[in-house]
Amino acid sequence: MDEERIGSFLLESKTSWEEESACFVVDSRKLVENINALKTFLKGEVVYSYKTNPDLRVAEIVSSQGCGFLFSSVEELENISKLACFEKNKNIFQSPSLTKKQFLTIREIGITRFVVDSQDQLNLMLENMDGNEVIELLIRINTGIKVNNPELSYGEDSFLGFPLSEAIEVLKKLNPLREEGKIRLGIHNHLISQNTYLDMWGKNTQTMADFVDDLKKESITIDVVDFGGGYPVEYFHIIPELSDIGRIIYKAQTRMTSAFPNLKYVFEPGRKLVGESVTLIGKIAHIKKFHDTQVAVLSCSLYNCSIDTLIVGLFLPVIKLDYKKDNNKLKKEIYVIRGSTPDSLDIFSRGVDLPQLKSGDYLAFLHAGAYSFGSDFISLSKPKHLIV
Ligand SMILES: Cc1ncc(COP(=O)(O)O)c(C=O)c1O
């Protein structure tokens, strides 16, 4: 964790955020650095999973680096399609609940690539294809691999995609349409977010490569393999290097390319692309002592910026924002950090060791850029993103 670098970056840029806290501060240089790392280590097209952080200025930076977007709702797509940077052909749409009306709207905006999650959805797309443009259908496959993630509660059954035995039948039926040039065909997979297990990366991608071999044996041809997201960010535990994950995936790609030499590859990072470049800054409204516990009460709430703390137990690393090397020598206390609402669950951190705090101090929650969504609880509004 690069606490020291982030601490000095935030102090140097204090004038841009101090009037705004609570706020999210985006380190645009770090964002671009991470996009480039993903482009280096993942061998194929990088499409940003937009639901990870829908801030429009973040989106513009992502787009300026040549990435398209993975959209999951028409509303998301409509927001981005108004931007000057919008390029129709770089995007993918996925939603397991897609309706005919939505499909037609999305087609009208010019999107041609779709993840297919069920037979019903596939029928809907085939019945409503206009025939003017070749659309790309990425059949979402579920490898059946389960990940037991003790750190964060991802990896339960998602019920998304087709089991492999069904997927092969679906692809067999679509193969003639592909041969007629009416569609392009691919497979899509996303195992879990924050996949910190190299063995699981290996097992999942090799199962995908076995599946591609099975397609070849059945004389079914595909044009694209989409490996989804899951590239992890460091919170409290050490995570594997992106380069190691990239190498594991590339091993599977090599097998796939030997089956289909013209195969194209797509990756859909969200968390790793944006997570580490964003810091959530909260100002301490009050300090109170509750029996023996020191409690810092913040100006923001889990309910307007960090609901994943409640959903998957994602607690973000936190530092006091006058972070200096000498902080280590300052007297420290153990704190509970409460959010701003009178809700018993609104707790950002428990038992954190921080230099003595007082009201008016700033706390910085690190690597806060991914899934930092909120709710309308007690009419709170979401803290702004400030690009620095
Ligand atoms: C289909 C798909 N692709 C990509 C992602 C991005 O995942 P991550 O943020 O873990 O990289 C998600 C996230 O849930 C997803 O559902």
Side-chain angles (χ1 to χ4, degrees):
M1 176 71 62
D2 42 0
E3 289 176 22
E4 207 172 315
R5 185 194 62 78
I6 300 176
S8 2
F9 163 76
L10 291 168
L11 287 179
E12 278 159 27
S13 58
K14 191 168 177 180
T15 47
S16 54
W17 54 259
E18 67 182 331
E19 298 298 317
E20 285 287 349
S21 63
C23 61
F24 291 96
V25 178
V26 183
D27 179 344
S28 51
R29 252 188 35 207
K30 176 72 181 160
L31 176 59
V32 170
E33 203 181 282
N34 276 11
I35 295 170
N36 286 328
L38 286 158
K39 285 163 85 173
T40 304
F41 296 119
L42 304 177
K43 307 293 179 198
E45 183 185 349
V46 172
V47 175
Y48 169 52
S49 176
Y50 177 60
K51 69 179 185 289
T52 313
N53 186 322
D55 184 79
L56 289 181
R57 276 126 335 136
V58 169
E60 278 173 333
I61 296 173
V62 173
S63 176
S64 72
Q65 298 305 302
C67 301
F69 298 89
L70 170 71
F71 295 110
S72 304
S73 73
V74 175
E75 289 79 0
E76 281 188 347
L77 173 57
E78 283 174 340
N79 281 343
I80 295 286
S81 64
K82 289 181 199 126
L83 299 181
C85 61
F86 180 69
E87 286 180 72
K88 294 177 203 174
N89 59 345
K90 287 191 170 172
N91 307 296
I92 302 176
F93 192 90
Q94 67 139 16
S95 162
S97 62
L98 185 77
T99 63
K100 175 177 169 182
K101 185 165 173 236
Q102 289 168 343
F103 181 66
L104 295 175
T105 308
I106 297 160
R107 284 291 299 116
E108 214 164 283
I109 296 174
I111 303 299
T112 53
R113 297 197 281 183
F114 294 86
V115 177
V116 181
D117 190 70
S118 67
Q119 185 64 53
D120 273 5
Q121 196 176 58
L122 176 60
N123 294 345
L124 181 154
M125 290 178 191
L126 294 175
E127 281 159 21
N128 293 287
M129 266 166 52
D130 50 24
N132 295 333
E133 239 175 327
V134 176
I135 65 170
E136 187 169 292
L137 299 177
L138 302 168
I139 306 303
R140 181 160 179 167
I141 61 170
N142 189 320
T143 56
I145 289 167
K146 299 209 178 8
V147 186
N148 174 20
N149 185 343
E151 187 190 0
L152 298 174
S153 56
Y154 297 110
E156 305 285 317
D157 264 334
S158 73
F159 302 102
L160 290 164
F162 293 86
L164 297 180
S165 55
E166 268 180 54
I168 201 156
E169 294 308 316
V170 169
L171 286 154
K172 203 181 282 176
K173 284 197 191 125
L174 289 171
N175 198 44
L177 272 185
R178 181 196 169 275
E179 278 171 4
E180 287 167 37
K182 294 195 172 136
I183 57 170
R184 281 165 51 81
L185 204 48
I187 59 170
H188 174 283
N189 178 255
H190 169 76
L191 184 57
I192 56 163
S193 194
Q194 187 70 2
N195 185 356
T196 53
Y197 307 99
L198 288 179
D199 56 339
M200 286 300 156
W201 277 106
K203 208 168 157 191
N204 196 51
T205 52
Q206 288 301 320
T207 304
M208 289 174 74
D210 292 343
F211 183 73
V212 168
D213 283 342
D214 291 345
L215 295 179
K216 173 102 178 166
K217 279 185 211 134
E218 295 283 342
S219 305
I220 302 163
T221 306
I222 53 169
D223 307 289
V224 190
V225 173
D226 184 333
F227 285 98
Y231 318 98
V233 156
E234 187 180 336
Y235 297 112
F236 286 100
H237 300 281
I238 301 216
I239 54 160
E241 296 290 329
L242 186 59
S243 53
D244 290 332
I245 295 174
R247 254 192 298 278
I248 287 173
I249 301 177
Y250 190 66
K251 235 169 134 175
Q253 286 177 262
T254 309
R255 279 185 60 197
M256 293 172 178
T257 300
S258 71
F260 298 110
N262 297 324
L263 210 49
K264 299 267 186 293
Y265 298 97
V266 180
F267 302 88
E268 299 171 345
R271 187 184 299 275
K272 180 68 182 177
L273 191 146
V274 74
E276 293 164 355
S277 56
V278 181
T279 307
L280 168 65
I281 298 183
K283 194 169 184 175
I284 297 176
H286 304 293
I287 298 287
K288 72 182 229 182
K289 192 154 185 193
F290 185 86
H291 295 299
D292 289 337
T293 308
Q294 291 287 353
V295 183
V297 185
L298 278 187
S299 56
C300 53
S301 161
L302 295 186
Y303 289 98
N304 67 347
C305 56
S306 191
I307 284 198
D308 250 10
T309 306
L310 293 175
I311 300 177
V312 289
L314 171 60
F315 290 91
L316 296 167
V318 60
I319 58 173
K320 181 184 174 190
L321 245 194
D322 55 358
Y323 188 87
K324 299 184 199 89
K325 277 196 189 132
D326 317 351
N327 257 357
N328 298 332
K329 295 184 201 132
L330 295 178
K331 185 171 176 309
K332 288 200 172 174
E333 297 219 46
I334 308 278
Y335 286 91
V336 164
I337 302 170
R338 269 208 60 85
S340 60
T341 73
D343 180 275
S344 60
L345 300 175
D346 197 355
I347 301 220
F348 279 88
S349 311
R350 292 172 195 274
V352 276
D353 219 5
L354 290 169
Q356 249 174 5
L357 301 175
K358 58 181 186 318
S359 64
D361 283 344
Y362 294 101
L363 292 183
F365 293 89
L366 312 181
H367 293 185
Y371 307 106
S372 50
F373 51 92
S375 73
D376 60 359
F377 183 51
I378 61 166
S379 303
L380 294 169
S381 52
K382 185 167 178 172
K384 278 188 197 156
H385 274 67
L386 306 173
I387 310 285
V388 177

